[in-house]
Structures are given as C-alpha cells and as structure tokens.
C-alpha cells in the first residue's frame, strides 16, 4: 500500500507538471490582448551572450493592446528592439529612445485559425505525456502484482485509481484548450 501511495503521488505530480507546462505554452500564444508572457521566450544579444529578455528589461502592460519594454541598460535598446522584431510573434516594436513600445495588432481570421491549431498541438502533446505517466504507473502496478506484493483485487483497484487521475488530468487539459480557443476567437 505504501509503495502504491508513493506511485500515485509521483504520477499525480508528473501530470500536474504537464498541465503547468501546457498553461505556460498557452500564455505564450498571442491572442490580440497584450500579455507580458508574450515576450517570455525572446532572447537578446547582450554583453556577448544570449540573455532572456526579462533579464535585461522590465515588461509591463499599460494598455490592453500595448506592451512597454523598459530596458535597464540603454545601450541594449537596439538589440532588444531587433530581438522582438525578429521573434516569431509577429509584432513591430517602436523604439522611442528611452523604452520600447510594442503595439499588439488585432488578429486576422487566418492567424486565429493558426493559433487554434497550435493550441490543439500543445494540448495533444500534454495528453500524450499524461498517458505516458499512466502507462508507467500501470506497468509498476503489474510488476507489483507479478512480484506478489499485491493481490489481483488490489491491482484492479490501483489501476482504477490511476485511470481516474489520468481522466481528470486529460479533462483539465481539454478544458484549458476550450478556454484558450474561446479567448482566441473572442478578441
């Protein structure tokens, strides 16, 4: 029983981490509304190395369709502007000499469809990862049974508990996808 509780807890933690990763992936999808997370993946050439944008600047959201990037070292303004412009998020930053404003244009219908597909791919990857956790847990339960650590009834009970965890995690991922799709279509 102790071994199963540890297995169940570990499986739940792995599924929760997968859902957190999905949430983080979704935050990077541009929905037409400004979000500081939109610039999270951008790397800037600073001091001879690539640095994450959040390590050389502060990103704020003064308006619904505008990001403001306050660069700490003014000598990096051009490098930050270039990194944002060349990123795959499709925005055109404006350098005013003191900070960088990033207007977020409204989404085209074509871009909305594309973003919905990307969100679907992220969700499918999360589902696969959750199912892999389930498979590993089921294999461990079968090994416990073959090693005569648990009875057949306990095996069935444990497998049902793991399946319930899996179903709940997949439902959460699907609900997150529906919410993201609604957000993409809404804007």
């Amino acid at each position: 029983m102790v071994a199963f509780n540890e297995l169940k807890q570990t499986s739940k933690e792995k599924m929760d981490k997968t859902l957190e990763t999905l949430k983080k992936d979704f935050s990077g999808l541009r929905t037409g509304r400004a979000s500081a997370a939109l610039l999270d993946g951008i790397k800037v050439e600073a001091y001879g190395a690539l640095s994450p944008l959040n390590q050389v600047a502060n990103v704020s959201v003064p308006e619904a369709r505008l990001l403001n990037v306050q660069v700490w070292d003014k000598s990096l303004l051009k490098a930050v502007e270039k990194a944002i412009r060349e990123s795959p998020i499709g925005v055109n930053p404006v350098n005013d000499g003191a900070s960088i404003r990033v207007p977020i244009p409204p989404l085209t219908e074509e871009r909305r469809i594309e973003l919905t597909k990307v969100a679907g791919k992220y969700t499918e990857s999360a589902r696969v990862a959750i199912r892999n956790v389930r498979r590993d847990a089921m294999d461990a339960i079968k090994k416990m049974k073959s090693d005569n650590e648990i009875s057949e009834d306990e095996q069935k009970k444990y497998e049902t508990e793991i399946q319930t965890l899996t179903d709940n995690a997949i439902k959460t991922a699907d609900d997150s996808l529906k919410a993201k799709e609604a957000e993409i279509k809404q804007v």
Side-chain angles (χ1 to χ4, degrees):
M1 183 69 176
V2 173
F4 173 70
N5 286 337
E6 289 174 14
L7 174 67
K8 182 178 174 183
Q9 185 61 36
T10 303
S11 297
K12 181 166 179 22
E13 287 170 4
K14 287 179 182 176
M15 290 179 189
D16 288 346
K17 283 181 186 171
T18 299
L19 293 171
E20 280 300 312
T21 301
L22 177 64
K23 189 176 180 183
K24 188 172 187 245
D25 289 344
F26 280 172
S27 73
L29 285 180
R30 185 164 78 83
T31 59
R33 224 178 289 150
S35 165
L38 192 58
L39 303 179
D40 277 355
I42 295 178
K43 303 267 192 238
V44 178
E45 180 69 38
Y47 313 115
L50 281 179
S51 302
L53 178 67
N54 63 4
Q55 291 184 4
V56 296
N58 183 36
V59 180
S60 61
V61 186
E63 298 174 27
R65 292 193 181 274
L66 181 70
L67 293 173
N68 190 42
V69 181
Q70 195 70 43
V71 182
W72 298 318
D73 181 352
K74 300 300 181 213
S75 67
L76 296 176
L77 270 171
K78 292 237 183 283
V80 170
E81 179 186 10
K82 180 180 179 204
I84 294 170
R85 188 178 315 282
E86 292 176 353
S87 72
I89 58 177
V91 293
N92 192 17
V94 178
N95 182 345
D96 66 10
S99 66
I100 298 172
R101 291 186 318 275
V102 184
I104 308 296
L107 295 175
T108 63
E109 190 58 34
E110 183 180 294
R111 182 74 174 136
R112 289 176 203 271
I113 292 168
E114 187 180 316
L115 285 174
T116 302
K117 288 179 183 175
V118 171
K121 287 179 185 173
Y122 287 161
T123 305
E124 187 54 37
S125 294
R127 284 189 204 114
V128 168
I130 291 166
R131 286 190 209 109
N132 286 341
V133 172
R134 177 192 60 194
R135 184 197 62 226
D136 294 345
M138 293 296 194
D139 289 348
I141 292 168
K142 286 177 184 153
K143 184 172 180 348
M144 285 181 206
K145 169 68 176 108
S146 69
D147 293 346
N148 292 322
E149 294 175 22
I150 60 174
S151 68
E152 200 168 312
D153 288 344
E154 288 174 315
Q155 177 186 4
K156 295 288 183 212
K157 178 183 163 207
Y158 295 166
E159 286 175 349
T160 303
E161 286 184 41
I162 294 294
Q163 186 59 48
T164 302
L165 271 179
T166 304
D167 293 343
N168 291 340
I170 288 178
K171 183 182 183 325
T172 302
D174 290 343
D175 291 346
S176 297
L177 175 62
K178 285 179 189 156
K180 190 64 176 181
E181 286 175 341
E183 186 181 329
I184 290 169
K185 291 175 184 168
Q186 177 188 51
V187 176

